[in-house]
Amino acid sequence: MDTRKIYTDTLNKIHRKLLSNGQKYDSVDPSDTAKDGIYSISQGGSWTESFYTGMLWLDYLITKNEAIKKNIDMQMWEFRQRVRQVRNLNHHDIGFLYSLSAVAGYKLTSEEIYKDTALMAARLLIERYQPQGKFIQAWGDIHDKNAHRLIIDCMLNIPLLYWAAEVTGDEKFYQIAYNHAVTTMENIFRPDNSTYHTFFFDYDTGKPLYGKTAQGSGDDSAWARGQAWAIYGFSISYRYTKDERFLNAAKRAADYFMKHLPADNVPYWDLCFNDKDAEPRDSSAAAIAVCGLLEIASFTQAAERCYYTESADKILLSLCENYLSADDKESVLDHAVYSVPHNLGVDEACIWGDYYFTEALTRVCHEKEFVSFW
């Protein structure tokens, strides 16, 4: 089986979809989840708008297609306006929104307007830092005692701060990102290397209190997407800091994830489920995990590198063979889940799944040209 051809053909299909979708999603982005493979237009207040823009930047990195670049230019104006107006940014997902839009743009074009936009976002993000607990608060007003928590997703938000430290030389950005990663690492893992989704701290003292889920099956289970965030997030923190504890944390999360996959290597929405359970899959968690496994592999040698590369390949091949959206659909990857407990986007395409799948394919098919936006 020529897996490279399968991956290349799939990436070409994504390119064609992006070109086809460009008229509908010109200066706007798709909603977070699709319905039968068709996205609605986002109203501009979600944490997910950048994933489509990130797909466009990935495509432009490889194709240099001018229609794709024109599409990007129209969308980037809105991202700059949003951060200048501080509109719908009262959360930690500022990192998602601006790593895949403005940071990506600066890395690929060196245009100062992208750098300036991303730095405005980074300055907003550090306002959510809680110094007594040494973490970035995920949601809610920073003075709300009941919202005093971090969530595992934020490991993909803090790369914005590592990048900001690199381009400005301001150690403050780095230290906040590093502190958050350490606090997360020390509290988010259970003894079996599964992870909590969220973790609460005492508002007055910063003392760690307890873990709780928001989107998993239970407080003691391993929400699949959260485990995948841990794989990728800690491996990225290792890339920036070279703190071996972060690489080890990524490996611990990855090994737990791999041991709890079903026969086709794409997880159910929570890792407590297996092939005996009538539960939906989450292809988006699988796509995130592939990116994380490839990141880990880039820092390992010999047999260990082979293990993580082959693990990523098994998942990616299954996604290509069993989870692709039909060619006439806007979406890329079927059978994802936003949140089962909230009955949101269950067994539908999710825009972040489409993005991470595209990133994984780009990384595998164009290893030399690939640029990480994180």
Side-chain angles (χ1 to χ4, degrees), residues 291-366:
C291 294
L293 291 165
L294 292 172
E295 187 76 15
I296 293 172
S298 70
F299 301 119
T300 53
Q301 302 294 325
E304 190 176 28
R305 180 185 178 93
C306 187
Y307 166 73
Y308 290 110
T309 302
E310 289 181 355
S311 295
D313 192 58
K314 289 177 182 177
I315 300 172
L316 189 58
L317 183 60
S318 183
L319 290 174
C320 288
E321 293 184 328
N322 305 308
Y323 290 82
L324 289 186
S325 299
D327 288 349
D328 62 345
K329 302 299 184 183
E330 295 175 356
S331 61
V332 172
L333 204 56
D334 286 340
H335 307 301
V337 163
Y338 190 153
S339 176
V340 171
H342 299 91
N343 196 29
L344 292 173
V346 177
D347 197 24
E348 296 285 0
C350 294
I351 194 64
W352 58 87
D354 290 357
Y355 168 79
Y356 284 103
F357 182 55
T358 304
E359 181 186 313
L361 289 168
T362 304
R363 185 165 190 159
V364 170
C365 295
H366 300 278

Side-chain angles (χ1 to χ4, degrees), residues 97-199:
L97 289 167
Y98 286 89
S99 289
L100 295 182
S101 58
V103 173
Y106 182 66
K107 286 186 175 183
L108 297 190
T109 71
S110 299
E111 292 184 19
E112 287 294 314
I113 192 170
Y114 295 143
K115 176 183 176 181
D116 181 63
T117 301
L119 288 175
M120 282 193 286
R123 294 184 190 104
L124 276 180
L125 181 54
I126 63 174
E127 290 180 7
R128 301 193 64 79
Y129 184 63
Q130 297 286 9
Q132 72 276 26
K134 295 186 177 181
F135 69 93
I136 295 169
Q137 183 177 310
W139 306 314
D141 188 281
I142 59 171
H143 303 296
D144 182 356
K145 294 185 177 182
N146 295 320
H148 205 63
R149 64 175 162 180
L150 60 78
I151 71 172
I152 186 59
D153 313 40
C154 195
M155 290 302 298
L156 269 294
N157 285 316
I158 60 174
L160 174 64
L161 303 183
Y162 289 128
W163 169 86
E166 285 190 345
V167 298
T168 64
D170 188 340
E171 185 72 13
K172 174 177 58 181
F173 292 113
Y174 177 95
Q175 201 59 56
I176 288 175
Y178 180 78
N179 288 350
H180 178 89
V182 170
T183 300
T184 304
M185 177 183 64
E186 291 178 344
N187 293 284
I188 212 75
F189 282 96
R190 303 186 186 93
D192 64 356
N193 292 327
S194 64
T195 56
Y196 292 108
H197 180 191
T198 84
F199 202 92

